Amino acid sequence: MFAKQQSDPWAFQILVTLLFAGLVFLRLTIPSHLYFDEIHYVPAARAMIAGHPANPEHPMLAKAMIAGSIRIFGDNPLGWRMPSALMGVIGLWAFGRALWYASGRAMASVAGMVLLATDFAWYVQSRIAMLDMVMAGLAMVALWLIAGAIRRTDGARWRIVGAGLVLGLSLGAKWSVLPVWAVVVALVLGARLWTFATGGRPILPALSMVELGLCLIVLPLGAYWLTYLPGFFTARDAVPTLDPLGWHRHMIDLQSSVTKHHPYQSVWSQWIINWRAIWYLYEVTDGAQRGVMLIGNPFTMIAGLIALIWAGWSGMRRGAWLPLVLVALYCASLGLWIVGNKPVQFYYHYLLPGTFLMGALGLMVDELWASRGQRRRHEAFGVLVLSLGVFAWFFPILSAAALTKGVASFEDWMWLASWR
């Protein structure tokens, strides 16, 4: 399916990344006050600057990055949101490069980037001072490094070392990346064991099985624990350096203790059908009525489910590994929230599953594009046009634009009553 590699589409990918960056930084400082979960993470970053860590139920890296950004840009909206903005842009680029190395298909990798950039969630989370985009952006960098190591023999060892470090850092931002790490380890080490058993060509031949285990299991764990370094030396509530298990039991207890109902909470079955939105902001602020709504792109999130089924069928029928990997990543990252012991969940937990959904849809667009017949090419082009069109229609309430109809403005975008 992806045997013949085409010309590297790096120029198109740079263009998509730059256009996305321009939209991310447009009105990034609006609202000029904290909104939604920024009320938890920005004060935690301020506490870190003061030497008194807060918000201990979550890992420290993303909060430390917000603290560092505040030191550089000031305690203002730009300082609060810069880490998410940068990681959103970097993560989009890394996602596209990972698709390119993994597939060797120019259309798949560029289409995947366009679909992710316009899936709503990646954009909205790139503009708010939360933990999710630091985690997701680093996860995409890790997948880029791994795909590059598999595709190219030169520098494979250092790419895998880098991937291990970045996976650990991603985990140090938020635990949501755990399933991605598990799938990577299972697939890479499982593929190596399979080649041992069958006598086939080993994956990543430059590294031994022991080296792969060290790079993808031990190194991420070490990097992850080092992200707690700022908490090792605080005067009070210090992280116990030599008791990681005890500290993590404490963190899990804190997360499980949050049981109070939230009006915007939802569950996985609602996420996959795009049923429940979250209004991060809807008020008069900065001189106008403004809103920020988190929901998935109504077109691509449903089309992505069709693409996911196609990817599973196509991967098994043709023996193509990439579609099956995307299915595995989607199911694992969603499965965490199905089986996880977190009483209160939100649509933003669908960020990673939605990302892999866009990867599968990108592959399906490429399949249509590569098919013989003008009609199929029109269908592939139509998917991208519709995704961009729906994104453009919803853009005012994704980007905190001034709304012209006052308090009733939101009615223009309420396709479902459950989005209110």
Side-chain angles (χ1 to χ4, degrees), residues 192-248:
R192 177 57 68 89
L193 289 172
W194 176 257
T195 58
F196 283 159
T198 61
R201 183 179 180 274
I203 187 174
L204 296 166
L207 288 87
S208 68
M209 187 72 169
V210 172
E211 286 177 308
L212 287 173
L214 289 172
C215 289
L216 295 178
I217 299 175
V218 178
L219 188 57
L221 285 172
Y224 165 71
W225 190 234
L226 284 176
T227 63
Y228 289 89
L229 189 65
F232 292 159
F233 306 105
T234 57
R236 60 181 177 82
D237 300 324
V239 178
T241 310
L242 301 179
D243 187 18
L245 293 180
W247 180 251
H248 283 79

Side-chain angles (χ1 to χ4, degrees), residues 231-294:
F232 292 159
F233 306 105
T234 57
R236 60 181 177 82
D237 300 324
V239 178
T241 310
L242 301 179
D243 187 18
L245 293 180
W247 180 251
H248 283 79
R249 281 195 295 268
H250 174 60
M251 293 175 69
I252 291 170
D253 288 342
L254 289 173
Q255 292 194 19
S256 301
S257 67
V258 180
T259 58
K260 184 180 178 180
H261 177 80
H262 192 287
Y264 286 128
Q265 73 182 67
S266 53
V267 294
W268 68 271
S269 57
Q270 296 171 312
W271 306 341
I272 63 176
I273 58 173
N274 222 31
W275 186 254
R276 188 72 178 113
I278 304 175
W279 282 97
Y280 280 0
L281 175 79
Y282 198 76
E283 62 184 63
V284 175
T285 182
D286 299 282
Q289 179 73 45
R290 302 179 189 273
V292 176
M293 184 177 80
L294 178 68

Side-chain angles (χ1 to χ4, degrees), residues 1 8 10 23 38 44 48 62 65 86-87 104 122 132 174 181 193 213 232 261 286-287 310 327 339 352 361 404:
M1 184 178 180
D8 191 333
W10 61 269
L23 294 178
E38 288 185 340
M48 291 184 73
M65 289 177 65
L86 289 177
M87 290 313 306
W122 195 270
D132 301 76
K174 194 169 184 180
W181 180 29
L193 289 172
F232 292 159
H261 177 80
D286 299 282
W310 166 84
V327 171
V339 302
L352 278 180
L361 187 55
T404 58

Side-chain angles (χ1 to χ4, degrees), residues 17 85-95 122 137 140-141 144:
T17 303
L86 289 177
M87 290 313 306
V89 172
I90 292 169
L92 179 69
W93 165 259
F95 174 78
W122 195 270
M140 295 307 109
V141 172
W144 171 25

Side-chain angles (χ1 to χ4, degrees), residues 77-223:
L78 184 64
W80 308 334
R81 296 166 193 156
M82 184 61 77
S84 289
L86 289 177
M87 290 313 306
V89 172
I90 292 169
L92 179 69
W93 165 259
F95 174 78
R97 297 308 290 170
L99 271 180
W100 164 246
Y101 280 128
S103 71
R105 305 291 297 185
M107 174 56 84
S109 55
V110 175
M113 290 182 72
V114 172
L115 292 166
L116 182 60
T118 57
D119 84 335
F120 292 15
W122 195 270
Y123 178 73
V124 171
Q125 291 302 133
S126 295
R127 293 168 45 83
I128 186 169
M130 292 171 60
L131 314 180
D132 301 76
M133 191 47 68
V134 175
M135 172 275 298
L138 288 170
M140 295 307 109
V141 172
L143 294 177
W144 171 25
L145 290 168
I146 292 167
I150 294 172
R151 173 67 68 176
R152 301 177 58 176
T153 57
D154 58 306
R157 174 174 280 103
W158 296 114
R159 285 189 175 90
I160 292 298
V161 169
L165 286 171
V166 175
L167 278 170
L169 296 178
S170 179
L171 191 62
K174 194 169 184 180
W175 290 346
S176 303
V177 79
L178 265 170
V180 176
W181 180 29
V183 168
V184 165
V185 171
L187 291 177
V188 172
L189 299 187
R192 177 57 68 89
L193 289 172
W194 176 257
T195 58
F196 283 159
T198 61
R201 183 179 180 274
I203 187 174
L204 296 166
L207 288 87
S208 68
M209 187 72 169
V210 172
E211 286 177 308
L212 287 173
L214 289 172
C215 289
L216 295 178
I217 299 175
V218 178
L219 188 57
L221 285 172

